Amino acid sequence: VQLQASGGGSVQAGGSLRLACVASGPGISNYWMGWFRQAPGKERELIAHIGWSGKNPVTADSVKGRFSISRDNAKNTVYLQMNRLKPEDTAVYFCARNKRPYVLGLEDNIWGQGTLVTVSS
C-alpha cells in the first residue's frame, strides 16, 4: 500500500488549504487514518485522526476549530481541511494509516511522503 499526499503549498495567514491523501492498494475502509505534521526542529505531531466509520473525528488542541479531518472510503481518500492558517502551522504534513485493520489509533503506521505547507504572515 502507498499513501500519496497532495494539496500543500504556500498561503498567507488567514488562508485555507485542503490536503488529500489517496491510498493505493487495499482500501482504507477498515483502517484508522490520520494526519501528522513536523515543523523544522520539532517532533512529529499528531494533529487529527479518524476512525474507519468516519464518526467522531479528533483534532489536536493546537488546530481545534480551524482544521477538520474527513474521509471518503469509496475514494480511498482522507482529507484535512485547514482554515484560518497561521505561520506556526508551517510544517511538512504527513498522512498515516494504521498497519492493521480494526485497530484504534495510530501507534504503528504506514506513512505517506509528506506535503509542505508554508504560511506567511
Side-chain angles (χ1 to χ4, degrees):
V1 63
Q2 288 187 326
L3 303 178
Q4 182 71 40
S6 63
S10 297
V11 64
Q12 288 191 326
S16 298
L17 286 172
R18 188 192 195 201
L19 306 184
C21 175
V22 181
S24 62
I28 66 169
S29 58
N30 300 330
Y31 294 87
W32 212 271
M33 303 287 298
W35 288 93
F36 292 72
R37 69 184 180 186
Q38 188 164 20
K42 295 187 176 181
E43 294 187 352
R44 191 170 294 190
E45 171 192 18
L46 175 61
I47 57 170
H49 58 97
I50 188 167
W52 42 84
S53 69
K55 297 179 180 179
N56 301 318
V58 177
T59 51
D61 288 343
S62 58
V63 302
K64 196 176 294 292
R66 301 187 297 120
F67 291 13
S68 62
I69 185 172
S70 61
R71 64 192 293 161
D72 186 337
N73 288 341
K75 294 183 178 180
N76 275 350
T77 303
V78 176
Y79 302 97
L80 184 69
Q81 178 66 44
M82 305 186 295
N83 299 325
R84 304 199 307 276
L85 283 158
K86 303 176 181 180
E88 51 263 44
D89 294 320
T90 295
V92 178
Y93 285 72
F94 299 89
C95 62
R97 194 209 79 180
N98 195 302
K99 286 184 179 178
R100 294 182 292 167
Y102 300 117
V103 174
L104 277 68
L106 292 168
E107 295 295 327
D108 188 18
N109 305 323
I110 294 172
W111 296 92
Q113 87 286 3
T115 184
L116 177 63
V117 172
T118 303
V119 184
S120 58
S121 57

